[in-house]
Amino acid sequence: MMLTRFANVFDEGFSGIVVTLGLQIFSVQAQCTREELLAAASNYIVAQTSGSLSGLSLSTDNFTYQENNEVANISTGVLSQPLKIDLNRTSADVVGCASYTMLISASGNTPYVIATQLRHAGEDTSSIAMIDTIAATTGSLFFNAQRTLEYIQGENWNTLNEDQRVDRDELKRVGDAYLDMWTDANAADSIPWGTDCERVEGSMLTKPCGASLPRGGSTRPNGNRRYVIDETIGSVDVLCSFDSLGNMPDSHEVRLESGKVKYVHTVTVIGS
């Protein structure tokens, strides 16, 4: 994501609420079924479409709703607004008992591009322990929901054949290396760029996606990273605080095919 020209506009302070301890609890090496995770994500999509929480099974013991890296009231957040969903896509992390859903609402009254991770406690997918959302709308970095929709609606996110997959360690490594490019001059060269890869950052499309990359320069790493890794479709989504150029709630999603980066999507919020 080429953000260097924006570096001088961001406050160096950090106002987000970090929930690292809670995420450590959820990241225990559990094993959930893909079907259960996708079913919970489907209920989440219905809830966002209707603006009603009635169909969601939220944990009664220890539920957290987080929006743009801050703990928030779910009853007044973006999930309480009915949105016309023009595109949705979900990946499932059976080890982390979590899912990632991208939503694009380009044709409603208020446009949104939303990146949401759902987390379940242990192996119990009967209830949701955390809804963790990055919600970008008008005024967010490079925001244009209609253009984002046009760029990615034709992408192929089908399940990969076994010989096209890499393991979860490699997916996490690539996701981390991408976010490390702003602080590590060598990170960009450690990423296996595909010759036909595409990078979509709101209204910006870069092909091939390995072009025009940052190579260090910031002393502040992009922190508070939360992962959803799905080997079957070759994806890693990382929600984080994009601190290298300012405190910005951010989602970076990367898909690898046959070990090479095929797609990169970013959702970045300014001024939350």
Side-chain angles (χ1 to χ4, degrees), residues 35-226:
E35 292 74 20
E36 291 169 339
L37 294 169
L38 294 178
S42 179
N43 290 337
Y44 158 75
I45 295 168
V46 171
Q48 185 64 85
T49 301
S50 65
S52 171
L53 306 178
S54 61
L56 290 177
S57 178
L58 307 178
S59 174
T60 57
D61 296 328
N62 189 23
F63 172 74
T64 301
Y65 177 70
Q66 183 162 281
E67 187 171 307
N68 293 338
N69 288 351
E70 296 188 0
V71 175
N73 184 343
I74 192 172
S75 298
T76 57
V78 68
L79 195 51
S80 68
Q81 304 176 40
L83 298 181
K84 183 181 184 299
I85 305 301
D86 298 297
L87 180 145
N88 73 83
R89 179 176 45 73
T90 297
S91 56
D93 187 336
V94 297
V95 175
C97 283
S99 64
Y100 167 71
T101 299
M102 167 181 271
L103 301 176
I104 299 179
S105 178
S107 55
N109 293 330
T110 303
Y112 275 98
V113 178
I114 296 174
T116 294
Q117 294 181 357
L118 301 184
R119 297 194 175 275
H120 305 269
E123 299 181 28
D124 181 12
T125 56
S126 64
S127 65
I128 299 169
M130 171 177 275
I131 299 178
D132 192 355
T133 290
I134 306 296
T137 188
T138 303
S140 295
L141 188 67
F142 306 139
F143 184 82
N144 186 316
Q146 184 59 49
R147 193 166 295 174
T148 301
L149 178 64
E150 292 169 0
Y151 288 151
I152 73 174
Q153 62 186 351
E155 293 178 351
N156 181 359
W157 282 76
N158 290 342
T159 300
L160 297 174
N161 296 329
E162 290 284 351
D163 61 354
Q164 295 179 296
R165 302 178 189 179
V166 298
D167 63 29
R168 64 185 295 110
D169 289 341
E170 174 65 1
L171 289 169
K172 182 178 183 297
R173 186 196 70 79
V174 171
D176 280 333
Y178 199 105
L179 290 173
D180 290 342
M181 289 192 297
W182 284 262
T183 54
D184 182 350
N186 299 313
D189 292 331
S190 75
I191 297 172
W193 304 106
T195 57
D196 60 347
C197 61
E198 301 179 4
R199 188 171 84 229
V200 176
E201 300 156 307
S203 59
M204 296 180 62
L205 172 66
T206 302
K207 296 192 302 184
C209 58
S212 304
L213 299 169
R215 295 180 181 273
S218 175
T219 60
R220 300 186 64 191
N222 298 313
N224 194 17
R225 300 181 188 185
R226 296 94 76 192

